[in-house]
Amino acid sequence: MPNLNENYLKLQENYLFSEIAHRVAAYTKQHPEKNVIRLGIGDVTRPLCQCAGEALLEGAKEMMSADTFKGYGPEQGYEDIRKAIVDYYKRSGVEIDASAVFVSDGAKSDTGNITDLFAHDNVILIPTPVYPVYVDSNVMCGNKVEYIEGNADNDFLPMPDWDQHADIIYICSPNNPTGACYNKSQLKEWVDYALKNQAVILFDAAYEAFVSDPELPRSIYAVEGAKQCAIEFCSLSKTAGFTGTRCGYTIVPQELVFTASAGEEMSLNAMWNRRQCTKYNGTSYIVQKAAAAVFSEEGIHQCQENLEYYRENARVITDTLSDLGIRFYGGVHSPYVWFECPKDMDSWTFFDYLLHEIQVVGTPGAGFGENGKRYFRLTSFGTYENTVEAMTRFQDLLETK
Ligand code: MLT
């Protein structure tokens, strides 16, 4: 019998969004006549933009002809898309080198897989509340985690404690689930702190496309010194509707070089490359072709139209919360709206209350960590009609009871 990885015993039985799906499936089985509106998991409803869809079809056609067929591609991604990503950064004034870009099947896998590069005795700081993959993937490999507190007092933007040492720091900005977004001087403080501690920041920028204020950084590399201390993860899931198509990218700058215990220099870029070449065979050609189209002038414009659609949904949600006098976070530079559960409920109780009373599904804040236990998240990724209907039901429920 094998010895099992008993770290799995330390995890919740189900991953957050599987637990939600499970509860919703049980409810709909009992009440098949009810119209359940899902504003829980951040899954998009707008289809792929025209130019991405066309590129996908063109890629499929190429795969059907011996002359243009492609087998295994480069594990790091095709040159065209790596260059398109470099150009995308350049548009917002950030210079990165194509050799730092690794195309993947999404930021979720990469933020989970990155633990492969680090030993298990690091001081790892993870905000609470935050995307649960960071904690779960560290628990799975036996790592101990320390939490940095996001709360109403710091507008869910925790800052470094200079008296505390850290080796690895997770930052998600705009934040999932709170929608809070660091400004440049706040990020600079994190970068300075990381440089002082010789720590690595794992910066999740999956929601960068939602930032509409040009003063707010969409990449950590907008901050001087970040290439010496940060890896950045990004995704086309929310930017371009790729939740089902799957494509993301991770930036591992060449500058990230540290000294191993016996004195040799180790490059995180070379290590990630080695890891990917061993465990990953590259993102499918047709998906990369569609992703490259997303970064074209036309693609960016078409994606912005979809983002505007979601921004309108976010306004519907935040207007309702304002009418009800419920304080909220996010919804501006983020597709998520985060608020304290009304009626002094904890978040799973509020989840069940909304599901049973008005058939609206949200995400309980407890799933994002201890500091989320009394909060709730709604997503603006639904259809406009469903969002309006959900918020009408929400307003009726909370006004009348
Ligand atoms: C979420 O709802 O938090 C996201 O959709 C999860 C993810 O991107 O994996």
Side-chain angles (χ1 to χ4, degrees):
M1 190 178 94
N3 292 324
L4 301 184
N5 180 354
E6 295 187 7
N7 293 312
Y8 278 68
L9 294 172
K10 299 179 201 149
L11 296 165
Q12 310 269 345
E13 188 183 342
N14 287 325
Y15 178 60
L16 170 63
F17 294 105
S18 316
E19 176 63 28
I20 292 174
H22 181 73
R23 290 196 191 202
V24 174
Y27 178 82
T28 47
K29 196 167 170 210
Q30 272 185 346
H31 305 278
E33 75 294 353
K34 298 281 193 192
N35 169 21
V36 175
I37 299 179
R38 291 170 171 77
L39 302 181
I41 190 166
D43 197 2
V44 294
T45 49
R46 302 297 302 150
L48 295 183
C49 67
Q50 191 69 21
C51 62
E54 276 164 14
L56 198 63
L57 292 173
E58 208 181 295
K61 279 206 190 117
E62 287 175 42
M63 294 300 258
M64 292 167 72
S65 158
D67 297 341
T68 46
F69 171 77
K70 301 260 189 309
Y72 291 126
E75 292 89 346
Q76 306 79 4
Y78 285 95
E79 221 172 276
D80 284 359
I81 182 174
R82 294 177 92 191
K83 185 174 173 314
I85 291 168
V86 168
D87 291 343
Y88 180 65
Y89 274 81
K90 211 175 266 171
R91 278 196 184 89
S92 51
V94 172
E95 295 284 338
I96 50 165
D97 194 84
S99 67
V101 180
F102 293 82
V103 181
S104 72
D105 65 351
K108 181 181 187 175
S109 336
D110 285 0
T111 51
N113 293 334
I114 202 78
T115 53
D116 278 8
L117 304 194
F118 303 103
H120 299 297
D121 52 359
N122 286 303
V123 177
I124 302 169
L125 300 185
I126 301 187
T128 167
V130 88
Y131 186 39
V133 170
Y134 316 152
V135 172
D136 282 5
S137 49
N138 276 287
V139 170
M140 279 174 187
C141 61
N143 291 348
K144 230 179 106 233
V145 160
E146 293 185 21
Y147 294 98
I148 35 177
E149 310 254 343
N151 51 41
D153 291 340
N154 57 24
D155 288 330
F156 292 98
L157 292 169
M159 296 304 296
D161 171 356
W162 287 80
D163 296 329
Q164 180 186 16
H165 170 78
D167 300 300
I168 295 170
I169 304 150
Y170 284 79
I171 297 179
C172 178
S173 180
N175 180 273
N176 178 10
T178 68
C181 185
Y182 282 107
N183 65 30
K184 204 164 170 180
S185 72
Q186 291 168 321
L187 270 193
K188 167 103 174 63
E189 187 170 338
W190 274 114
V191 167
D192 290 345
Y193 171 80
L195 291 171
K196 178 179 168 262
N197 281 274
Q198 289 200 296
V200 174
I201 295 176
L202 301 176
F203 188 79
D204 187 348
Y207 298 93
E208 56 81 29
F210 286 84
V211 174
S212 46
D213 178 349
E215 292 299 311
L216 291 174
R218 290 167 51 180
S219 161
I220 194 157
Y221 305 122
V223 174
E224 212 190 313
K227 285 187 193 149
Q228 278 78 45
C229 66
I231 291 175
E232 182 161 294
F233 305 92
C234 209
S235 163
L236 274 76
S237 285
K238 321 293 158 115
T239 308
F242 272 53
T243 49
T245 311
R246 307 304 312 148
C247 191
Y249 50 94
T250 290
I251 312 293
V252 191
Q254 298 285 358
E255 289 85 341
L256 285 170
V257 177
F258 293 89
T259 311
S261 50
E264 58 277 61
E265 300 229 297
M266 292 183 83
S267 145
L268 290 186
N269 179 286
M271 288 170 74
W272 184 246
N273 188 49
R274 185 70 176 81
R275 190 247 171 237
Q276 292 297 82
C277 291
T278 304
K279 296 191 183 182
Y280 190 60
N281 257 337
T283 309
S284 87
Y285 171 69
I286 58 174
V287 168
Q288 290 194 61
K289 182 137 184 146
V294 163
F295 293 111
S296 66
E297 203 72 50
E298 187 55 19
I300 291 171
H301 175 72
Q302 290 175 2
C303 288
Q304 277 302 330
E305 288 177 354
N306 284 343
L307 298 187
E308 216 29 74
Y309 178 95
Y310 298 131
R311 286 194 181 104
E312 187 53 37
N313 289 348
R315 272 191 285 275
V316 171
I317 297 171
T318 54
D319 283 354
T320 307
L321 294 173
S322 297
D323 281 355
L324 289 165
I326 298 173
R327 184 175 176 199
F328 61 85
Y329 302 82
V332 181
H333 304 296
S334 158
Y336 299 127
V337 183
W338 175 253
F339 55 94
E340 198 167 354
C341 302
K343 300 174 184 287
D344 213 22
M345 289 189 205
D346 70 67
S347 65
W348 277 111
T349 306
F350 190 61
F351 172 88
D352 287 330
Y353 178 64
L354 290 189
L355 178 59
H356 289 260
E357 295 286 329
I358 57 168
Q359 294 77 51
V360 170
V361 180
T363 306
F368 301 102
E370 188 63 29
N371 282 17
K373 280 191 165 161
R374 305 208 72 81
Y375 284 84
F376 205 72
R377 191 193 80 177
L378 290 174
T379 154
S380 63
F381 286 125
T383 63
Y384 178 72
E385 294 73 19
N386 276 346
T387 307
V388 170
E389 171 62 20
M391 295 322 287
T392 305
R393 293 184 200 171
F394 188 95
Q395 182 141 16
D396 289 348
L397 177 74
L398 288 156
E399 254 170 10
T400 54
K401 286 211 175 167

